[in-house]
Amino acid sequence: MQGLKFLEFFDDIIVFGETLKVHNDKLREAFARLRMHKLKLQPDKCEFLKKGFTYLGHKLTTQGLLPHINKVAAVRKFPTPTNTRQLKQYFGLFGYYRRFIPNFS
């Protein structure tokens, strides 16, 4: 499959598709790639056919990637920085969610 995309982070793999058929095709390809590189999954850590989940401060749903509601609250309540360290934290937090903030730059 050309242009097949997966989300991965360290030892996590997320396979998703617009339809069940697309999802299953991508899942078969993911399994084939893992097998080709002699990598194994731990079945007790696997979850299949979920319609949405929270991952690394984001919610992945059928509507797409969204910021997690708790993180949005943290951004809104973030105090005004008063020193360099707090300013770096401020930019780190906001930069992580920049894709969800219109006209961020």
Side-chain angles (χ1 to χ4, degrees):
M1 237 183 218
Q2 285 295 88
L4 186 62
K5 301 261 191 231
F6 303 105
L7 296 178
E8 68 280 329
F9 186 78
F10 291 112
D11 61 352
D12 296 328
I13 302 169
I14 300 169
V15 179
F16 55 93
E18 298 77 27
T19 65
L20 183 58
K21 180 183 178 349
V22 171
H23 175 269
N24 288 343
D25 290 345
K26 289 181 179 184
L27 195 56
R28 281 187 197 90
E29 178 64 22
F31 289 154
R33 289 183 188 194
L34 290 167
R35 201 171 15 264
M36 181 174 58
H37 294 286
K38 297 180 178 30
L39 297 172
K40 296 182 181 181
L41 300 173
Q42 289 183 280
D44 59 320
K45 292 187 174 183
C46 296
E47 297 182 46
F48 297 95
L49 298 172
K50 294 186 76 169
K51 293 202 182 266
F53 58 94
T54 301
Y55 186 75
L56 297 175
H58 294 89
K59 282 184 72 171
L60 186 60
T61 69
T62 54
Q63 287 79 40
L65 188 64
L66 306 167
H68 191 278
I69 191 75
N70 294 346
K71 299 299 181 181
V72 171
V75 168
R76 286 190 175 141
K77 294 177 183 175
F78 198 90
T80 303
T82 58
N83 59 44
T84 305
R85 183 172 180 258
Q86 291 174 354
L87 187 61
K88 287 179 182 179
Q89 290 174 331
Y90 176 87
F91 284 125
L93 177 62
F94 285 84
Y96 189 72
Y97 290 100
R98 67 185 169 272
R99 73 172 66 173
F100 304 108
I101 301 171
N103 303 314
F104 178 80
S105 60

